[in-house]
Amino acid sequence: MEARLEMPVRDGGWWDRIRLQYLLEPLHSTVHTRRGATATLPCVLRALPHNYRVKWSKVEPANYGESIIIITNGLYHKNYGPLSPRVRLRHSHRYDASLTISHVALEDEGRYRCQLVNGLEDESVSLTLHLEGVVFPYQPSSGRYKLNYPDAKRACEQQDSRLATYQQLYKAWTEGLDWCNAGWVLDGTVHYPIINSREPCGGRLLLPGVRTYGARDKQKDRFDAFCFTSALQGHVYFIRGHLNFKEAAQACRNHGAAMAKVGQLYSAWKFSQLDRCDGGWLEDGSVRFPITTPRQRCGGLPHPGVHSFGFPSKDRRIYGTYCFVED
């Protein structure tokens, strides 16, 4: 199976569309946010044509389509689809058709289109909703390369995350993610990010980059997963002790919390700078510890990150546990 380097493709935006007549070009084509926040995608008209409608939709790359979110004629509007309970029009003035999304979720990231429907003079602007977050590789307790695409998707969701997009994986590589095992991403392709070229990872002659196996059979082919998570609506903390897995789960429950998921630990490391030298049980049966400031007496590891002891026997009484409690 041969890997190749791949560069990201920039989605089309307002820079490659025809001149707009009624819609104002957005000052910024990307809106940055975090999970749980409220985000507004701007769409403002410079004039109101007769008998117009504005339609907001989300571009769905997986099926080459768009999902309608809301349609308005300026006086009335109707919401559609799973985003319906969390979206509204900002409508700060009569020319404002901006879309506001509350309680932003991981699956909200992506490209959105505001389309002015006006007979033969239809026009649109595209905007990208970008969630700040962290990408992490994941494999189950059964070992390396055990997940087909549905398994990988489910595994990430069980760890308070979702499959990363290729763009998220590429950004993580530019920020230092170096991982030798190939994993699924959201569009059904398989990749692995390499900073330091080495023999077990495609050889020393290949340049650093995100190496790709391309699209694979989603049912038959098996790899690991690259998951993505964002900010928490809660916090992660450590309970010290010499606990087996069952005792660790009970210790969290005794504090009105639950054992932390892998994605929650990564989020706490990324956004709350959680830094502990102590290995602790997580909900999936793995033992990990988060380091923001590498030091010699903390594993001697040279880089910040969430480090893993794998999946030890659940009967071992060596580790504490990481717990999660919602705000």
Side-chain angles (χ1 to χ4, degrees), residues 10-323:
R10 187 167 78 170
D11 289 330
W14 59 264
W15 53 81
D16 57 10
R17 286 197 301 272
I18 61 172
R19 180 177 173 82
L20 298 172
Q21 181 179 356
Y22 291 104
L23 295 175
L24 292 174
E25 294 175 349
L27 290 176
H28 304 284
S29 60
T30 300
V31 174
H32 297 267
T33 189
R34 292 182 179 182
R35 178 169 56 178
T38 296
T40 298
L41 300 169
C43 183
V44 178
L45 285 71
R46 70 175 82 236
L48 301 178
H50 294 293
N51 301 319
Y52 78 95
R53 290 179 297 150
V54 170
K55 179 176 71 174
W56 274 99
S57 57
K58 187 172 190 289
V59 179
E60 305 290 356
N63 56 19
Y64 304 99
E66 296 186 10
S67 300
I68 298 174
I69 299 170
I70 194 168
I71 297 177
T72 181
N73 64 1
L75 295 175
Y76 307 100
H77 70 272
K78 185 175 182 181
N79 292 16
Y80 298 85
L83 268 174
S84 178
R86 296 189 289 113
V87 296
R88 60 180 175 84
L89 295 170
R90 182 173 64 180
H91 208 63
S92 59
H93 51 79
R94 67 194 189 107
Y95 299 103
D96 185 11
S98 302
L99 183 74
T100 296
I101 305 173
S102 61
H103 306 293
V104 170
L106 295 176
E107 60 269 21
D108 296 343
E109 172 153 312
R111 195 151 62 94
Y112 292 76
R113 191 157 74 106
C114 176
Q115 181 180 12
L116 176 71
V117 182
N118 182 35
L120 298 177
E121 299 177 345
D122 294 359
E123 56 188 73
S124 66
V125 294
S126 292
L127 299 112
T128 298
L129 186 66
H130 171 76
L131 269 69
E132 299 174 12
V134 57
V135 172
F136 61 94
Y138 187 78
Q139 60 180 227
S141 59
S142 53
R144 180 176 183 258
Y145 291 176
K146 300 295 184 180
L147 304 173
N148 63 17
Y149 179 82
D151 293 336
K153 189 170 182 290
R154 185 164 49 251
C156 288
E157 291 168 354
Q158 289 171 348
Q159 298 309 315
D160 192 49
S161 60
R162 65 172 292 189
L163 275 175
T165 65
Y166 174 78
Q167 289 78 12
Q168 289 166 341
L169 180 62
Y170 187 90
K171 182 174 183 291
W173 169 73
T174 67
E175 295 171 349
L177 182 61
D178 182 277
W179 197 253
C180 208
N181 294 344
W184 295 100
V185 298
L186 187 61
D187 65 1
T189 56
V190 174
H191 313 269
Y192 63 101
I194 293 296
I195 298 289
N196 301 306
S197 298
R198 50 202 185 271
E199 286 304 327
C201 302
R204 297 180 183 274
L205 298 180
L206 282 178
L207 292 173
V210 178
R211 299 172 181 170
T212 179
Y213 293 148
R216 313 303 301 179
D217 188 309
K218 291 183 177 181
Q219 298 298 327
K220 294 180 181 179
D221 289 330
R222 295 181 182 273
F223 298 94
D224 292 342
F226 287 105
C227 306
F228 172 83
T229 193
S230 185
L232 289 173
Q233 302 300 294
H235 67 276
V236 173
Y237 62 94
F238 181 74
I239 294 179
R240 187 181 299 275
H242 294 83
L243 309 171
N244 63 29
F245 180 79
K246 188 175 180 180
E247 292 166 342
Q250 186 60 51
C252 290
R253 288 196 294 270
N254 290 345
H255 286 76
M259 295 180 81
K261 301 173 186 289
V262 177
Q264 291 167 340
L265 187 63
Y266 269 93
S267 181
W269 167 75
K270 173 76 173 181
F271 293 102
S272 302
Q273 289 74 54
L274 184 63
D275 183 289
R276 290 204 67 103
C277 271
D278 306 283
W281 293 103
L282 298 180
E283 188 199 56
D284 68 338
S286 64
V287 172
R288 305 174 194 249
F289 64 101
I291 293 297
T292 57
T293 305
R295 47 209 184 268
Q296 190 60 40
R297 297 187 65 182
C298 196
L301 298 164
H303 303 295
V306 174
H307 302 288
S308 175
F309 289 120
F311 293 86
S313 167
K314 291 184 176 182
D315 295 326
R316 296 186 71 180
R317 286 189 171 93
I318 298 177
Y319 309 106
T321 184
Y322 290 95
C323 306

